[in-house]
Amino acid sequence: MITDRKLLNNSQLLFKAVEEALKGGVKAIQLREKDLEIRELLQMAYKMREITKKYKAKLFINDRVDVALAVKADGVHLGQSSMPPSAVRKIAGNKLIIGASTHGIKEALEAEKSGADFITLGPVYKTPSKLKYGRPIGSDTLRNVKSKISIPVFAIGGIKEDKVKDVRSAGVDGIALISGILGAKSIKGKAEYFLKLLG
């Protein structure tokens, strides 16, 4: 699950929502609050580390290698304008799992070559949070990328319950959700349901 506190109006509600998602079986949280000042982000990251540890879940910090190392996160997730995975490896050694956002075959191959441990690939379907990344790639691109790279691929972007079967049949290793879980009335219930669908 990827965080977006704006869906919940404030940070305190986000911590509660993350805990509910973890109770529902979510195994990894990516702290992605791009607009926060570094000090505020760091405080939030320490709190997220506490919560994720309690549920034995992984914590990834979006973009900020320094914050990820400071709070002893499990990993960092890099965008296309972030430093490349190879540079992160020089800084962090093997202390961090490195994920990379990709939007097609070229970026996916580059991420693997540069040393990413896994990628997110999307937007698979139309979704407000990913409009700036262009048209949805669809499940055929997922299938194509999955056949060409050996690191895990997580589908992202507009994945609702009725689309899980479609992305799973493309061979992906998992899915990444924002509003799919955070926008639900029962976050724990929705997390459980998605996990059941992923089977």
Side-chain angles (χ1 to χ4, degrees), residues 1 14 19 23 33 89 93 104 114 119 128-129 138-139 160 170:
M1 190 184 88
L14 180 63
E19 189 145 14
K23 282 178 188 168
E33 303 296 336
R89 189 71 68 207
S114 183
I119 62 164
S129 69
S139 54
K160 304 280 181 248

Side-chain angles (χ1 to χ4, degrees), residues 34-67:
K34 294 181 173 189
D35 60 326
L36 284 181
E37 294 289 324
I38 183 69
R39 201 169 276 245
E40 213 179 331
L41 180 68
L42 187 62
Q43 284 176 332
M44 192 177 249
Y46 275 119
K47 179 86 174 139
M48 285 294 178
R49 177 72 287 187
E50 257 175 59
I51 298 167
T52 50
K53 247 194 176 138
K54 187 170 145 189
Y55 292 91
K56 295 180 173 54
K58 293 200 178 333
L59 174 65
F60 292 85
I61 305 296
N62 193 70
D63 209 32
R64 297 298 304 239
V65 182
D66 50 352
V67 172

Side-chain angles (χ1 to χ4, degrees), residues 107-176:
E107 291 177 1
L109 290 166
E110 279 169 12
E112 181 177 45
K113 195 176 165 203
S114 183
D117 295 304
F118 70 92
I119 62 164
T120 54
L121 179 62
V124 185
Y125 308 105
K126 198 173 171 192
T127 181
S129 69
K130 299 286 176 197
L131 287 176
K132 66 180 176 208
Y133 300 112
R135 292 174 50 195
I137 61 167
S139 54
D140 287 345
T141 301
L142 287 179
R143 203 170 278 109
N144 183 26
V145 168
K146 192 65 191 138
S147 72
K148 300 230 173 20
I149 70 171
S150 57
I151 57 175
V153 176
F154 291 83
I156 189 169
I159 301 168
K160 304 280 181 248
E161 296 95 318
D162 61 339
K163 303 290 187 191
V164 173
K165 203 173 173 185
D166 190 32
V167 295
R168 284 300 274 163
S169 69
V172 297
D173 300 275
I175 59 174

